[in-house]
Amino acid sequence: MITYEQLKSNEEVNAYIVQADESLKALGYTEHSFAHVDVVAQNAKYILQTLGYSEHDIELVQIAAYLHDIGNLVNRIEHSQSGALMAFSLLNRLGMEPKDTAAIVTAIGNHDEGTGVAVNHIAAALILADKSDVRRSRVRNTDKTTFDIHDRVNYSAKKSTLKINTEHTLIKLKLSIDTQYGSVMDYFEIFLNRMIMCRKAAEFLGLEFKLIINEQQLI
């Protein structure tokens, strides 16, 4: 099996991640490069590991996380589908077992809130891990006077924590927001569909999803 660590050192894969992020940078989007995919991989691993899934499944979800945004080098629109097809070709060439390739491709093709659905546990963990990566360091714009709503929301996020309770019944996304830069309403304006997707992904894993901003439960 191709491992997550092997994939991280693959020059072809890393070239795709760099170019995908360059395209998003040109469009004015927040960071979607190695920092983002590493955070998503860590959070996805945490979710499945905490819920007692196998080491094999944990490897698969980390690979899916590392590859999930490569479709942005084709186009931002429907990047989950184009990224899934790219991953399918890449993993086949690297000799991955078809069953494992299928699980990863399914997760990547279903991670975006426009069309995605948590159809398996790999996809569910990827969705939760991806949508919870809200942080100041993702903002590239250095001029606060020209921040758009995405810049404001990410810049306002001083801390973001994804936590499953000890009973394995709840998963909480806890955000600490500096309202000087972005309001709770700003967050909901751009993230409501993502949070609904997170709730459904959590339900697939047998969890209840809660969003807590500045110690106030909102979902």
Side-chain angles (χ1 to χ4, degrees), residues 123-189:
L126 177 59
I127 288 165
L128 286 160
D130 181 37
K131 306 313 174 193
S132 61
D133 185 21
V134 186
R135 53 189 161 81
R136 179 168 291 188
S137 56
R138 294 192 72 185
V139 178
R140 301 188 228 250
N141 186 355
T142 56
D143 183 0
K144 297 183 183 69
T145 64
T146 62
F147 275 4
D148 65 10
I149 189 169
H150 290 83
D151 291 332
R152 291 199 305 273
V153 165
N154 279 279
Y155 196 83
S156 70
K158 296 187 293 182
K159 188 176 181 181
S160 170
T161 307
L162 198 64
K163 184 73 173 176
I164 297 172
N165 68 349
T166 54
E167 296 80 14
H168 297 172
T169 57
L170 298 173
I171 184 166
K172 298 179 181 180
L173 173 58
K174 295 185 70 173
L175 298 175
S176 176
I177 286 180
D178 183 345
T179 54
Q180 175 185 351
Y181 299 105
S183 68
V184 173
M185 186 58 72
D186 281 341
Y187 183 89
F188 267 97
E189 184 176 335

Side-chain angles (χ1 to χ4, degrees), residues 12-28:
E12 179 185 359
V13 171
N14 290 336
Y16 297 156
I17 292 173
V18 168
Q19 183 54 58
D21 186 54
E22 285 297 315
S23 296
L24 292 181
K25 183 178 180 180
L27 293 169

Side-chain angles (χ1 to χ4, degrees), residues 41-92:
Q42 289 168 22
N43 282 338
K45 176 183 178 180
Y46 162 74
I47 292 166
L48 291 193
Q49 198 169 54
T50 302
L51 295 177
Y53 284 89
S54 69
E55 288 298 320
H56 184 74
D57 283 342
I58 291 165
E59 281 288 323
L60 294 182
V61 82
Q62 288 184 100
I63 291 170
Y66 201 71
L67 297 175
H68 80 278
D69 271 338
I70 58 174
N72 283 299
L73 73 83
V74 178
N75 197 293
R76 176 62 181 172
I77 297 170
E78 296 184 353
H79 73 281
S80 56
Q81 278 76 41
S82 55
L85 292 174
M86 289 175 64
F88 175 80
S89 174
L90 174 73
L91 294 173
N92 271 344

